[in-house]
Amino acid sequence: MDVNWQDLHHRELTAAQVYQILALRNAVFIVEQNCPYQDVDGSDLVGENRHLLGMLENQLVGYARILAPTAADKPVKIGRVIVSSEARGLSLGNRLMEQAIASCEHYWPHHSLFLSAQAHLQDFYERFGFKAVSEIYLEDNIPHIDMTKPGLPE
């Protein structure tokens, strides 16, 4: 499977790409996981935030949102990590996280990385160097755990 990875600043997104992103996030995080929550949170199109899109032909099959650090001592936040139901089982999650970490290290090399992981994916994220830094807690009625990964040394 030849996925085309696009690492885009929010200003580079087309209307069609924004639509595909929101449709995929809605299909999985709200409908499939039966979790009504406010996905459009005001963070998609601000500051230096980035979007990582995995495209197979013209279909979005993998996605992650990268929120720029809000201060010199704050982490980069990786979120909305998702693989479409049609593309699961093809190791796209691994490739997606490799791409997301590479983007963070390119744009903000000395910042730590942070993610709020669904608790059942803790082992998956640990394979990429993330460590749990909280107890398991409920977010939108789904067990989550906060995880961090150190930035590159200066």
Side-chain angles (χ1 to χ4, degrees), residues 129-142:
F130 285 87
K131 303 281 185 237
V133 293
S134 76
E135 297 297 319
I136 293 175
Y137 58 91
L138 285 180
E139 181 175 314
D140 299 315
N141 216 25
I142 296 174

Side-chain angles (χ1 to χ4, degrees), residues 15-70:
Q17 287 169 321
V18 171
Y19 183 88
Q20 284 188 301
I21 290 166
L22 295 177
L24 178 60
R25 289 179 359 193
N26 182 284
V28 174
F29 294 136
I30 298 171
V31 176
E32 181 181 316
Q33 294 182 356
N34 193 27
C35 180
Y37 80 108
Q38 186 62 45
D39 177 51
V40 179
D41 60 2
S43 296
D44 289 310
L45 305 177
V46 297
E48 295 306 309
N49 296 343
R50 304 191 66 79
H51 299 267
L52 185 59
L53 288 72
M55 303 296 297
L56 183 59
E57 297 175 12
N58 291 323
Q59 183 178 354
L60 181 64
V61 294
Y63 171 81
R65 181 173 75 174
I66 302 172
L67 302 180
T70 56

Side-chain angles (χ1 to χ4, degrees), residues 60-84:
L60 181 64
V61 294
Y63 171 81
R65 181 173 75 174
I66 302 172
L67 302 180
T70 56
D73 62 340
K74 298 294 183 189
V76 180
K77 294 181 178 179
I78 300 173
R80 306 296 201 267
V81 178
I82 189 169
V83 172
S84 71

